[in-house]
Amino acid sequence: MVMKSNATGIYLPNGGFVRFAETAPKQGKQIATRATAAGISNVGSALPNPDPVLRKLGKSIQAYRDLRSDGHVGGCIRRRKAAVKSLQSGLDRNLEPSRHADDITDILADLDMGRIVSEILDAPLYGYQPLEVVWGKVGNYIVPVDVIGKPAEWYFFDQQNRLRFKSKSAGQDGELLPERSHLLPRQDASYDNPYGVPDLARCFWPTKFKQGGIDFWFKFVEKYGTPWLVGKAPRSTPDHEIDSLLDMLEAMVQDAVAVIPDDASVEIVEAGGKSSSADVFEKFLMHLRSEVSIALLGQNQTTEADTTNASAQAGQDVSADIRDADAGLVAATINQLIGWIAELNFNDAPPVFSFWEPESVDKTLAERDAILKNAGANLTRQYFKRAYQLQDDDIGEAPAQGVNTPFAFAEGQPNSYPDQEAIDAAVGGLSNVLLNDQASDLLTPVITAMQRGQSEAEMLGLLAEAYPHMNDDALVNTLTNMLFIADTWGRLSANANRID
């Protein structure tokens, strides 16, 4: 009797089917590791740094640290770090504030965050940067009292990609570090390369070639930049006299004086046609400088003298991406520290630390709004929130000082004097409403010009255009009549009082 089967089970003679037991995948265990991979040497626990520059040189990361003494490399590093430090930072931006956000803020305020951020930013330069966390008890909390960046060459990774310290007492296997003892920011780290990718590796050879090229350039300048002194002597002059004349010319190059026989002559010859050779050296050195700028800043448009403003602006956009990546690395490292603090002291989710670019206020828009406000325009809270990206609690309530009515003349007292009633009757029933209407008609072109103008110069030009169209006759006549009647009534009242 033949029983049929397939990869999933077997068919029984009675028509039944028995499925093979499915093997569940192993949980929490890797299959492909350095210990099981063929052709991988597992001698010792230390995993060597696969950086190609350090392997060829047989040196440690100290070789990269020495590059920072170069003026161009050091300047690019300072600029790159300053780009991150110029950003604003804080906890729970655009999020619901955490319960312990204030506590975390106070804990971070006790640390030297400027130095810590700068040390974290060494990770992109060397690939990785260990920072030791020193814990202490402050009040009822266990908090980091200091975070110290340690030299990266003091540490190495083992075959399981775990960080170990090169301790004197631990031998070549190193000391496995305890939990929450070290922060480890890394750039582009992977299983194959847990040490990360250092940006200074891209700067090593250009900087070394530049330093060697400058030595050759100095020799070239010394050789072809100084005029040549050519001594001429008769053909029958003995060799010892020619040698003596040569010594006098060498001394003349330094002292500018010499004594030569009267039958000899000295000619000064300028080196000509060597400018093109000097340009080759300069272009070579500038190319090496550009390589360093591109490696550290992502562009060379803002570091070279022959760039335009448009190309420099485009280059800043590229370097902004690198700045954001560095800021993200710093934020992730600080958030890991905050998470440890929350695990040791709190039971809820920790706050989130982040960087963001400061929002600039449009100066032209702010000046225009100030002019409109002074002219009487009523700008609403909704407008300020929309125009300047403000939140509800960013705008406080204005103090109650009464409502200012634009172009409004003073209202009469509730109990007017008899003389005032007589003047109002003599004017012919002129009221404040009429005066306000006339003033509004007169100033309408002014308000229109301010609303249309984008700058002060444009507003002045629009006001000059609108001035011939302003009709102030009605308002002037009304005010003239009122002043005349008031003056006349005052004189009559004074004479009546003297008669009485």
Side-chain angles (χ1 to χ4, degrees):
M1 181 180 298
V2 179
M3 293 185 295
K4 297 180 179 180
S5 64
N6 57 23
T8 61
I10 185 172
Y11 293 94
L12 300 177
N14 58 3
F17 179 77
V18 178
R19 184 178 299 274
F20 294 144
E22 296 183 358
T23 303
K26 296 181 179 180
Q27 300 180 6
K29 185 176 181 180
Q30 299 183 28
I31 299 176
T33 63
R34 293 186 179 91
T36 59
I40 302 297
S41 176
N42 296 320
V43 179
S45 62
L47 182 68
N49 193 334
D51 182 79
V53 176
L54 298 181
R55 283 193 302 171
K56 289 183 179 180
L57 295 175
K59 296 183 178 180
S60 66
I61 292 179
Q62 182 63 37
Y64 293 154
R65 192 172 286 110
D66 295 338
L67 295 180
R68 303 180 67 163
S69 61
D70 181 80
H72 185 63
V73 175
C76 291
I77 291 175
R78 291 187 62 183
R79 180 176 177 182
R80 180 164 171 176
K81 290 188 176 183
V84 176
K85 293 182 179 180
S86 65
L87 298 175
Q88 294 182 352
S89 60
L91 299 177
D92 292 338
R93 180 173 182 260
N94 296 331
L95 298 174
E96 187 69 23
S98 304
R99 290 177 51 194
H100 300 284
D102 293 338
D103 297 331
I104 298 295
T105 301
D106 295 338
I107 294 173
L108 297 180
D110 293 335
L111 300 174
D112 187 358
M113 294 302 298
R115 174 185 57 81
I116 294 173
V117 170
S118 180
E119 292 176 346
I120 295 175
L121 290 174
D122 285 338
L125 303 178
Y126 309 128
Y128 69 108
Q129 175 57 60
L131 295 97
E132 185 172 2
V133 182
V134 181
W135 296 92
K137 191 171 183 62
V138 177
N140 297 325
Y141 295 148
I142 300 176
V143 300
V145 295
D146 201 358
V147 178
I148 308 171
K150 297 300 178 66
E153 56 268 29
W154 289 4
Y155 301 82
F156 68 92
F157 290 89
D158 60 14
Q159 298 293 332
Q160 288 77 37
N161 288 356
R162 296 175 299 182
L163 187 67
R164 289 178 176 267
F165 172 58
K166 296 179 181 178
S167 174
K168 293 181 180 180
S169 60
Q172 64 178 2
D173 291 337
E175 178 182 344
L176 186 62
L177 300 174
E179 293 184 359
R180 304 189 186 94
S181 64
H182 283 72
L183 297 169
L184 185 61
R186 294 179 289 178
Q187 176 174 261
D188 299 334
S190 61
Y191 177 83
D192 184 54
N193 180 15
Y195 291 89
V197 179
D199 286 340
L200 286 178
R202 305 182 181 97
C203 304
F204 184 83
W205 294 119
T207 303
K208 292 301 181 181
F209 288 152
K210 184 189 71 171
Q211 293 173 351
I214 290 179
D215 293 338
F216 283 107
W217 200 10
F218 283 159
K219 295 178 181 179
F220 180 87
V221 171
E222 182 180 2
K223 184 175 182 179
Y224 294 102
T226 304
W228 297 340
L229 299 181
V230 179
K232 296 181 180 180
R235 186 181 300 272
S236 60
T237 304
D239 291 340
H240 68 278
E241 293 184 5
I242 294 177
D243 294 338
S244 177
L245 178 60
L246 180 59
D247 294 338
M248 288 186 291
L249 293 180
E250 289 180 355
M252 184 179 177
V253 172
Q254 297 179 358
D255 301 332
V257 294
V259 178
I260 63 175
D262 58 356
D263 58 348
S265 63
V266 176
E267 182 181 355
I268 299 177
V269 180
E270 296 284 347
K274 297 297 181 181
S275 60
S276 59
S277 300
D279 291 341
V280 172
F281 274 101
E282 184 177 5
K283 290 180 180 178
F284 173 68
L285 296 178
M286 294 303 293
H287 169 72
L288 297 178
R289 280 171 46 93
S290 298
E291 289 294 309
V292 173
S293 299
I294 294 173
L296 293 179
L297 303 178
Q299 47 84 23
N300 66 338
Q301 299 296 320
T302 57
T303 56
E304 307 301 334
D306 57 349
T307 57
T308 62
N309 181 63
S311 61
Q313 190 66 34
Q316 288 180 351
D317 296 337
V318 177
S319 61
D321 297 336
I322 298 180
R323 178 204 63 188
D324 295 341
D326 290 346
L329 179 65
V330 176
T333 305
I334 296 178
N335 280 322
Q336 184 179 15
L337 179 63
I338 294 175
W340 290 348
I341 298 173
E343 291 175 3
L344 295 174
N345 300 279
F346 313 124
N347 294 323
D348 52 355
V352 179
F353 180 88
S354 62
F355 288 93
W356 65 88
E357 189 172 1
E359 299 175 353
S360 59
V361 177
D362 191 340
K363 183 178 179 181
T364 303
L365 179 63
E367 291 177 348
R368 190 195 70 171
D369 291 344
I371 294 174
L372 292 176
K373 186 69 176 179
N374 294 334
N378 186 19
L379 302 179
T380 63
R381 293 170 58 91
Q382 287 73 15
Y383 168 77
F384 283 108
K385 289 170 55 179
R386 182 177 64 255
Y388 300 100
Q389 292 81 41
L390 300 175
Q391 303 296 327
D392 291 334
D393 54 354
D394 292 338
I395 305 176
E397 296 293 339
Q401 297 179 351
V403 180
N404 296 326
T405 304
F407 319 122
F409 292 93
E411 297 288 343
Q413 299 294 332
N415 298 323
S416 59
Y417 296 100
D419 288 347
Q420 183 64 44
E421 297 176 355
I423 292 175
D424 292 341
V427 171
L430 289 176
S431 62
N432 292 333
V433 177
L434 177 60
L435 295 176
N436 286 334
D437 292 340
Q438 293 175 352
S440 178
D441 294 340
L442 178 64
L443 296 180
T444 296
V446 177
I447 301 301
T448 303
M450 290 183 177
Q451 292 176 342
R452 291 173 53 194
Q454 299 295 328
S455 63
E456 295 181 5
E458 186 177 356
M459 291 181 185
L460 292 175
L462 294 174
L463 289 175
E465 295 177 0
Y467 180 75
H469 305 289
M470 295 181 182
N471 185 9
D472 58 350
D473 295 339
L475 182 60
V476 171
N477 293 334
T478 301
L479 293 177
T480 301
N481 292 336
M482 293 179 65
L483 292 176
F484 174 75
I485 294 173
D487 181 69
T488 303
W489 187 267
R491 293 177 182 274
L492 294 176
S493 298
N495 292 334
N497 292 334
R498 285 199 298 266
I499 294 173
D500 297 339

